[in-house]
Amino acid sequence: MAILLLPLGLQAQDQKRIEIVYGGFLEFKEGEAPGLKVMTRDDSGQVHVIHEGVDMWCDQANLYSNENFVEAYGNVRMKQGDTINMNAKYVEYSGKTKLAFASGDVVLTEPNSTLTTDTLFFDRVKQQSFYKSGGRVVRDSSGTITSNIGRYYMNSKKYQFVNKVVLVNPDYTINTDQLDFYSETGHAYLFGPSTIVTSESKTYCERGFYDTEQKTGYGMKNTKIEYDFRVFEGDSMYFDNNRNFASATNNIKVTDTTNKSVIKGHYAEIYKAKDSVFITKRALAITVQENDSIYMHADTLMVTGKPEKRITRAFRNAKFYKSDMSGKADSVHVNHATGLTELINLSRLSSQDAFAKRRDPVIWNLENQMTGDTIHIKSNPETEKLDSLLVFENAFIVSKDTLSDNGFNQIKGKTLVGLFDDQNNLKQVDIDKNAESIFYARNENNELFGIDKARSGSISVFFEEGAISQFIRYKQPDAVTTPESQFPENARLLRGFVWRDDERPKSVEDLFNDDPPLELPVIKGLEEYVPQEEFFDDALMKRIEKAEEEKEKDTKTKKPTELDKKTQAMRDRERNKVSRNIPKEVLEKRAEKAEDDRPTLEKDND
């Protein structure tokens, strides 16, 4: 057995062949395989071989010169340029296919991340590495990513992780089915059911983006964010986990699990630190009650405060509806803790404006319409029952006399206080200061016997099932009942009268009657997930098959007499070095394809 020490590197003319730079102790073992050289490190250093820009160091190497193939054992280090370094216990590399296979504590490093796995394929032609036995990638500022299957695209510095992908960072954890990750920027693209969990929130989406450096991102399919007691959903959502802020576009729904309320719209912003939600574009707030939910609509809705101090504000053309009461105002302010609802006119229009009265607050309860400069509704937060109604300045209550064509019962004064019964219907109304009234007076047979017009300091009106059953005037009443035929037409309406029944919402759909046409923006962003291309694609498999064909051809040219049976058996086992670590399912699929591609005549001859 010859042992040679090669102290110097060799500069070969053919750069396509694997070359020995330093061989340490070198043994020629032609008897085992043609062109086989076994190199072992010595005290001067490790075995060092090169091939077209790749350097490899190891403790021992088997170089099959005839096949341009090397097996490296022990503390293997493989380096490509200044950016890619790989360490492993074992590496084999084919100079013909330019495919490397590494196993045993494999570590692949590039400037921005470190990949560790048990087995790794490295295709130098495509500049891609691939594992399917589980791996981990560490990027200091982004965290640690684990997956069952992974691929690294060296040219674009992109990882593509598949199957049980988990990214763990001290500030958040991402779980997803597929993750495209760019190591230079820290940008992550999520596909399939995915969650991002922080100490403050949980975000779910089925297609999304996350900047692991800035901790911002967006989701585009079935996106949902959970902030404590709120669930935030929308077609397209942006979120900033630094500020606990999120915004959404199209088909938005915000569910408050504590207060049993839902807000809908088509653009929204949520600020968790301030416990506030801003929503517009057909904004609708739904307060879920046991017997009858309340629906509120406005151009813009804002909900602020902790659950125990929740405030809802509705701006510009605010309206609400429930089966026993509806209302409308320029703006509405609701204090959920105290049960106080305020209907307010912000007075942007002067009183002379033709539409000014249309912006004054108005309440409808059964057949009664109540208006004034400001209206307060008081309810019991515990029982969800209406308690009282207060109208400040220019109080006016109107109900249509149903048995006449254009008759209206009317009461006006400075202020109004209304009380409700257990069914949330008005049972009593007290109007104070300069009270005026017009009533259509009927007998027990509902026959009209006159129109009553009066003035007094105040007046109390009592209702049964929404109809006036009794009224009492106080403080110097001055009342006259006149037959209808003698009552002037132009005196049948009190000054300031406006009948606004055409504005009355009689259903949830009516809340949107006077909204402008809604045009939702077209959402652009992440494309659909493109399935990972086969690492062992047709081009790579053809390279492997070509190398095997060349080996087979070379073997057949040898005369059998030159080899003993033992050597021949060994060569048969070693014949397919370039494909021996290719996954079994890949080879089987390739064989099936080859069989399918065979001409029908050949199959028949078989």
Side-chain angles (χ1 to χ4, degrees), residues 442-511:
R442 297 183 180 276
N443 60 25
E444 62 273 9
N445 296 320
N446 275 331
E447 295 172 340
L448 181 67
F449 61 84
I451 299 175
D452 180 275
K453 186 170 185 179
R455 293 175 181 269
S456 60
S458 60
I459 186 171
S460 294
V461 183
F462 300 89
F463 298 85
E464 289 184 6
E465 298 180 357
I468 297 173
S469 62
Q470 182 184 4
F471 56 86
I472 303 173
R473 298 186 178 96
Y474 306 94
K475 299 177 184 177
Q476 300 177 335
D478 179 12
V480 177
T481 301
T482 306
E484 182 182 20
S485 60
Q486 298 175 23
F487 201 99
E489 288 282 348
N490 60 3
R492 296 186 181 187
L493 300 178
L494 296 176
R495 183 178 179 82
F497 170 90
V498 178
W499 182 240
R500 301 173 64 180
D501 192 62
D502 59 330
E503 302 175 53
R504 180 177 184 173
K506 298 182 173 73
S507 67
V508 177
E509 291 73 21
D510 285 351
L511 296 174

Side-chain angles (χ1 to χ4, degrees), residues 4 28 40 49 61 67 86 89-90 110 114 138 164 167 176 202 214 273 288 339 389 393 432 435 479 487 501 506 594:
L4 298 178
F28 294 93
T40 306
V49 298
E67 301 174 50
M86 183 172 71
K89 291 181 178 179
Y90 171 78
E110 50 99 12
T114 300
V138 177
K164 296 183 179 179
L167 192 163
T176 183
K202 179 180 179 181
Q214 303 299 322
V288 181
L389 170 76
E393 302 297 333
D432 194 28
F487 201 99
D501 192 62
K506 298 182 173 73

Side-chain angles (χ1 to χ4, degrees), residues 131 135-137 144-149 161-168:
Y131 66 82
R136 180 180 66 181
V137 171
T144 300
I145 307 171
T146 58
S147 70
N148 287 348
I149 300 172
F161 301 100
V162 179
N163 198 332
K164 296 183 179 179
V165 186
V166 182
L167 192 163
V168 177

Side-chain angles (χ1 to χ4, degrees), residues 50 94 179 203 343 370 481 528:
I50 61 172
S94 169
L179 174 68
T203 302
L343 283 73
M370 288 152 282
T481 301
E528 293 282 353

Side-chain angles (χ1 to χ4, degrees), residues 57-111:
W57 294 266
C58 63
D59 292 342
Q60 182 176 314
N62 297 337
L63 176 60
Y64 299 85
S65 300
N66 289 18
E67 301 174 50
N68 207 17
F69 189 91
V70 64
E71 299 167 334
Y73 300 87
N75 300 308
V76 185
R77 181 164 60 97
M78 189 174 182
K79 181 179 180 181
Q80 176 180 275
D82 296 326
T83 58
I84 302 297
N85 288 276
M86 183 172 71
N87 295 76
K89 291 181 178 179
Y90 171 78
V91 173
E92 60 184 45
Y93 174 74
S94 169
K96 292 184 177 181
T97 64
K98 295 188 179 180
L99 177 67
F101 170 77
S103 65
D105 299 332
V106 183
V107 179
L108 178 74
T109 60
E110 50 99 12

Side-chain angles (χ1 to χ4, degrees), residues 297-534:
H297 166 60
D299 176 77
T300 301
L301 290 173
M302 286 188 66
V303 181
T304 59
K306 300 288 185 182
E308 64 276 9
K309 295 183 179 180
R310 183 61 43 78
I311 300 293
T312 297
R313 298 176 178 88
F315 301 100
R316 290 182 288 280
N317 199 23
K319 292 178 276 187
F320 70 88
Y321 167 81
K322 64 194 300 281
S323 62
D324 50 27
M325 177 177 284
S326 56
K328 182 179 179 182
D330 190 68
S331 297
V332 175
H333 182 284
V334 182
N335 187 321
H336 297 273
T338 63
L340 178 62
T341 299
E342 302 175 57
L343 283 73
I344 306 164
N345 187 342
L346 295 182
S347 302
R348 292 195 307 274
L349 301 174
S350 68
S351 59
Q352 289 75 33
D353 192 289
F355 297 98
K357 280 295 178 186
R358 292 287 181 175
R359 307 189 79 89
D360 280 347
V362 55
I363 292 287
W364 294 273
N365 177 249
L366 295 181
E367 303 305 321
N368 301 294
Q369 170 189 293
M370 288 152 282
T371 58
D373 290 358
T374 301
I375 299 177
H376 288 185
I377 304 171
K378 190 74 171 66
S379 62
N380 188 320
E382 299 297 327
T383 64
E384 301 175 350
K385 296 289 186 181
L386 292 173
D387 177 72
S388 57
L389 170 76
L390 295 90
V391 180
F392 303 93
E393 302 297 333
N394 299 311
F396 215 122
I397 179 169
V398 180
S399 64
K400 195 174 189 306
D401 180 65
T402 56
L403 298 180
S404 61
D405 293 335
N406 295 301
F408 294 91
N409 297 310
Q410 307 155 61
I411 312 171
K412 65 176 290 189
K414 184 176 178 63
T415 61
L416 179 153
V417 177
L419 302 176
F420 294 90
D421 61 22
D422 290 340
Q423 283 71 47
N424 289 340
N425 297 325
L426 275 174
K427 66 178 182 180
Q428 180 180 340
V429 167
D430 297 319
I431 292 185
D432 194 28
K433 294 184 181 179
N434 303 322
E436 298 180 55
S437 64
I438 292 178
F439 293 113
Y440 281 67
R442 297 183 180 276
N443 60 25
E444 62 273 9
N445 296 320
N446 275 331
E447 295 172 340
L448 181 67
F449 61 84
I451 299 175
D452 180 275
K453 186 170 185 179
R455 293 175 181 269
S456 60
S458 60
I459 186 171
S460 294
V461 183
F462 300 89
F463 298 85
E464 289 184 6
E465 298 180 357
I468 297 173
S469 62
Q470 182 184 4
F471 56 86
I472 303 173
R473 298 186 178 96
Y474 306 94
K475 299 177 184 177
Q476 300 177 335
D478 179 12
V480 177
T481 301
T482 306
E484 182 182 20
S485 60
Q486 298 175 23
F487 201 99
E489 288 282 348
N490 60 3
R492 296 186 181 187
L493 300 178
L494 296 176
R495 183 178 179 82
F497 170 90
V498 178
W499 182 240
R500 301 173 64 180
D501 192 62
D502 59 330
E503 302 175 53
R504 180 177 184 173
K506 298 182 173 73
S507 67
V508 177
E509 291 73 21
D510 285 351
L511 296 174
F512 305 94
N513 278 348
D514 53 0
D515 281 18
L518 179 65
E519 294 184 8
L520 298 180
V522 177
I523 297 173
K524 298 180 180 179
L526 291 174
E527 300 295 332
E528 293 282 353
Y529 176 69
V530 178
Q532 194 177 78
E533 297 176 356
E534 291 289 341

